[in-house]
Amino acid sequence: MMDRLADSIMPRLVEPTQDAIAEASRLLERGQLVVFPTETVYGLGADTTNAKAIELIYALKGRPADNPLIAHVLDDVQARRIVAKWDDRCAVLSEHFWPGPLTLVVARGETVGPSATAGLDTIAVRAPRHVVARALLHAFGRSISAPSANRSGRVSPTTAGHVVADFPEADELLVLDGGACEIGIESTVLELTEPTPRVLRLGAITVERLREVLGEVDAPPVTTQLASPGTSLWHYAPRTPAELVETTQLARRLAGGAPAAVLCFEPAGVKPPHVPVPMPQSAEPYAARLYDALRTADATGVSRIIIEQPPETHGPWAAIHDRLRRATGHADRDGNDQ
Ligand code: TXA
Ligand code: MG
């Protein structure tokens, strides 16, 4: 948690007290933006029904206008108010996974204008489980549209400090400081507009778990194959060039090369001038640590980041591999998140 520096221009970090949540709700009501924690990452929220407020989100983030937003809801009752149809699959998924890190893409209801979905006739809905997000949704009483609260192209924020780092001059932007996010990577996005559900973004709700509940689910293949240098189509984040390296190749990549910040499992093996950034061995803590580690690595000032490739690829590791590929420029533009 951070204290606000007196009289400086910066976002307004506050403890998420009842009063602060009531104030946040009033700001949303007036068409202003509010940053709130979720269990995945921090969100930059606006009233789903207020087109001007939605525009402010795109302007502040520098987000391309064709990238739609997730509408956050308290539960399936609120979700039903903004979608055209809530079918059996939605009912069973919300029963199993809400509140939690699963976003459902379904036909948009008539109560929501196209600005909240970048003009699409579908809408993404998710009920977050973070207590502060839920308190805010309860106080506001209807849906809050929110992308991750980062500048477009940067990694998502998992602490209030990350939000301030990305928007240092967003004077008076209210940030409800809920500490570090528990999950640390963005929600699983599942499209339900076709007969076969399709995973658009991997997340903490694994494809395996979705298949247990739904049966057939299309999902992107998990690949650890590294693109050849120069073939990356889209450099995403962090700012420092990042490279994914297998454990067996790590020593060779470090030897003689320029100083690197190294996200690694065995920090003792990374000697000066390289800087180790220790990572947990198991998937959940690894995901929770990842974006802060990338920002930490960026802040060391070295000219390259090396990420030791986690050996496992299945279950919860699939979403981590997806994010590592994006961080190292191996994901194409279509798969990018802003
Ligand atoms: O965990 C999360 O999902 C976080 C927290 C704040 O809830 N939010 C988040 O939002 O990551 P954002 O905007 O950074 O990513 C939303 C993703 C994007 O990949 C977007 O393209 C996709 O959801 N999306 C949103 N609406 C969609 C739609 N109607 N059809 C297809 N994809 C959609
Ligand atoms: Mg994002």
Side-chain angles (χ1 to χ4, degrees), residues 21-22 24-32 46-50 72 78 133-145:
I21 285 163
S25 174
R26 282 196 300 275
L27 291 169
L28 290 172
E29 203 65 67
R30 278 190 237 135
Q32 288 178 251
D47 177 354
T48 300
T49 62
N50 185 332
H72 295 73
Q78 275 191 0
R134 292 185 60 73
L136 180 61
L137 284 161
H138 190 261
F140 189 54
R142 57 184 195 277
S143 152
I144 301 172
S145 292

Coordinates of all heavy atoms in Angstrom, one line a residue, residues 21-22 24-32 46-50 72 78 133-145:
I21 N -15.4 3.3 -1.2 CA -16.2 2.5 -2.2 C -17.4 3.3 -2.6 O -17.8 3.4 -3.7 CB -16.5 1.1 -1.6 CG1 -15.2 0.3 -1.8 CG2 -17.6 0.5 -2.4 CD1 -15.2 -1.0 -1.0
A22 N -18.0 4.0 -1.6 CA -19.2 4.8 -1.9 C -18.8 6.0 -2.8 O -19.5 6.3 -3.7 CB -19.8 5.3 -0.6
A24 N -16.2 6.0 -4.9 CA -16.0 5.4 -6.2 C -17.3 5.2 -7.0 O -17.3 5.5 -8.2 CB -15.2 4.1 -6.0
S25 N -18.3 4.7 -6.3 CA -19.6 4.5 -6.9 C -20.2 5.8 -7.4 O -20.7 5.9 -8.5 CB -20.5 3.8 -5.9 OG -21.8 3.7 -6.5
R26 N -20.0 6.9 -6.6 CA -20.5 8.2 -7.0 C -19.8 8.7 -8.3 O -20.4 9.3 -9.2 CB -20.4 9.2 -5.9 CG -21.5 9.1 -4.8 CD -21.6 10.3 -3.9 NE -20.3 10.6 -3.2 CZ -20.0 10.0 -2.1 NH1 -20.8 9.1 -1.5 NH2 -18.8 10.3 -1.5
L27 N -18.5 8.5 -8.3 CA -17.7 8.9 -9.4 C -18.1 8.2 -10.7 O -18.3 8.8 -11.8 CB -16.2 8.7 -9.2 CG -15.5 9.6 -8.1 CD1 -14.1 9.1 -7.7 CD2 -15.4 11.0 -8.6
L28 N -18.3 6.9 -10.6 CA -18.8 6.1 -11.8 C -20.2 6.7 -12.2 O -20.4 6.9 -13.4 CB -19.0 4.7 -11.4 CG -17.7 3.9 -11.2 CD1 -18.0 2.5 -10.6 CD2 -16.9 3.8 -12.4
E29 N -21.0 7.0 -11.3 CA -22.3 7.6 -11.6 C -22.2 8.9 -12.3 O -23.0 9.2 -13.2 CB -23.0 7.8 -10.2 CG -24.5 7.9 -10.2 CD -25.2 6.6 -10.6 OE1 -25.1 5.6 -9.9 OE2 -25.7 6.5 -11.7
R30 N -21.2 9.7 -12.0 CA -20.9 11.0 -12.7 C -20.1 10.8 -14.0 O -19.7 11.8 -14.5 CB -20.2 11.9 -11.7 CG -21.1 12.6 -10.7 CD -20.2 13.7 -10.0 NE -20.2 13.5 -8.6 CZ -19.2 13.5 -7.8 NH1 -18.0 13.8 -8.3 NH2 -19.3 13.3 -6.5
G31 N -19.9 9.6 -14.4 CA -19.2 9.4 -15.7 C -17.7 9.5 -15.6 O -17.0 9.6 -16.6
Q32 N -17.1 9.3 -14.4 CA -15.7 9.3 -14.2 C -15.1 7.9 -14.1 O -15.9 6.9 -14.0 CB -15.3 10.2 -13.0 CG -15.5 11.6 -13.3 CD -15.2 12.5 -12.1 OE1 -16.0 13.1 -11.5 NE2 -13.9 12.6 -11.8
A46 N -15.5 2.0 -15.8 CA -16.5 3.1 -16.2 C -17.9 2.4 -16.2 O -18.0 1.2 -16.4 CB -16.1 3.7 -17.5
D47 N -18.9 3.3 -16.1 CA -20.2 2.9 -16.2 C -20.5 2.3 -17.7 O -20.3 3.0 -18.7 CB -21.1 4.1 -16.0 CG -22.6 3.9 -16.2 OD1 -23.0 2.7 -16.6 OD2 -23.4 4.8 -15.9
T48 N -20.9 1.1 -17.7 CA -21.1 0.4 -19.0 C -22.1 1.2 -19.9 O -21.9 1.2 -21.2 CB -21.6 -1.0 -18.8 OG1 -20.6 -1.7 -18.0 CG2 -21.9 -1.8 -20.1
T49 N -23.0 1.9 -19.3 CA -24.1 2.5 -20.1 C -23.7 4.0 -20.5 O -24.5 4.7 -21.1 CB -25.4 2.6 -19.3 OG1 -25.2 3.3 -18.1 CG2 -25.9 1.2 -18.9
N50 N -22.5 4.4 -20.1 CA -22.1 5.8 -20.4 C -21.0 5.9 -21.5 O -19.8 5.7 -21.2 CB -21.6 6.5 -19.1 CG -21.3 7.9 -19.2 OD1 -21.0 8.4 -20.3 ND2 -21.5 8.7 -18.1
H72 N -18.0 -6.0 -16.0 CA -17.9 -6.7 -14.8 C -19.3 -6.6 -14.1 O -19.9 -5.5 -14.0 CB -16.8 -6.1 -13.9 CG -15.5 -6.3 -14.5 ND1 -15.0 -5.6 -15.5 CD2 -14.4 -7.1 -14.1 CE1 -13.8 -6.0 -15.8 NE2 -13.4 -6.9 -15.0
Q78 N -27.2 -9.8 -12.7 CA -26.7 -8.6 -13.4 C -26.3 -8.9 -14.8 O -26.5 -8.1 -15.7 CB -25.5 -7.9 -12.6 CG -25.9 -7.0 -11.5 CD -24.8 -6.2 -11.0 OE1 -23.6 -6.3 -11.5 NE2 -25.1 -5.3 -10.0
A133 N -13.9 -5.5 -5.5 CA -14.6 -5.4 -6.7 C -16.1 -5.6 -6.5 O -17.0 -4.9 -7.0 CB -14.0 -6.3 -7.8
R134 N -16.3 -6.6 -5.7 CA -17.7 -7.0 -5.4 C -18.5 -5.9 -4.6 O -19.6 -5.6 -4.9 CB -17.8 -8.3 -4.7 CG -17.4 -9.5 -5.6 CD -17.6 -10.8 -4.9 NE -18.9 -11.1 -4.6 CZ -19.9 -11.4 -5.4 NH1 -19.6 -11.4 -6.7 NH2 -21.1 -11.7 -5.0
A135 N -17.7 -5.3 -3.7 CA -18.4 -4.2 -2.9 C -18.7 -3.0 -3.8 O -19.7 -2.4 -3.7 CB -17.4 -3.8 -1.8
L136 N -17.8 -2.7 -4.7 CA -18.0 -1.6 -5.7 C -19.2 -2.0 -6.6 O -20.1 -1.1 -6.8 CB -16.8 -1.4 -6.5 CG -16.8 -0.2 -7.5 CD1 -17.1 1.1 -6.8 CD2 -15.5 -0.1 -8.3
L137 N -19.3 -3.2 -7.1 CA -20.4 -3.6 -8.0 C -21.7 -3.5 -7.2 O -22.7 -3.1 -7.8 CB -20.1 -5.0 -8.6 CG -19.1 -5.0 -9.7 CD1 -18.6 -6.5 -9.9 CD2 -19.7 -4.5 -11.0
H138 N -21.6 -3.9 -6.0 CA -22.8 -3.9 -5.1 C -23.3 -2.4 -4.9 O -24.5 -2.1 -5.1 CB -22.5 -4.6 -3.8 CG -23.8 -4.8 -3.0 ND1 -24.1 -4.0 -2.0 CD2 -24.7 -5.8 -3.1 CE1 -25.3 -4.4 -1.5 NE2 -25.7 -5.5 -2.1
A139 N -22.3 -1.6 -4.6 CA -22.7 -0.2 -4.4 C -23.2 0.5 -5.6 O -24.2 1.3 -5.6 CB -21.5 0.6 -3.9
F140 N -22.6 0.2 -6.8 CA -23.0 0.9 -8.0 C -24.3 0.3 -8.6 O -25.1 1.0 -9.2 CB -21.8 0.7 -9.0 CG -22.0 1.5 -10.3 CD1 -22.2 2.9 -10.2 CD2 -21.9 0.9 -11.5 CE1 -22.4 3.6 -11.4 CE2 -22.1 1.6 -12.7 CZ -22.3 3.0 -12.6
G141 N -24.5 -1.0 -8.3 CA -25.8 -1.6 -8.7 C -25.9 -2.1 -10.1 O -27.0 -2.7 -10.5
R142 N -24.9 -1.8 -11.0 CA -25.0 -2.3 -12.3 C -23.6 -2.5 -12.9 O -22.6 -2.3 -12.1 CB -25.8 -1.4 -13.2 CG -25.4 0.0 -13.3 CD -26.4 0.8 -14.1 NE -25.9 2.1 -14.5 CZ -25.8 3.2 -13.8 NH1 -26.4 3.2 -12.5 NH2 -25.3 4.3 -14.2
S143 N -23.5 -2.9 -14.1 CA -22.3 -3.4 -14.7 C -21.2 -2.3 -14.8 O -21.5 -1.1 -15.1 CB -22.6 -4.0 -16.1 OG -21.5 -3.8 -16.9
I144 N -20.0 -2.6 -14.6 CA -18.8 -1.7 -14.7 C -17.9 -2.3 -15.8 O -17.4 -3.4 -15.7 CB -18.0 -1.6 -13.4 CG1 -18.9 -1.1 -12.3 CG2 -16.8 -0.7 -13.6 CD1 -18.3 -1.1 -10.9
S145 N -17.7 -1.5 -16.9 CA -16.8 -2.0 -18.0 C -15.4 -1.6 -17.6 O -15.1 -0.5 -17.2 CB -17.2 -1.3 -19.3 OG -18.4 -1.8 -19.7

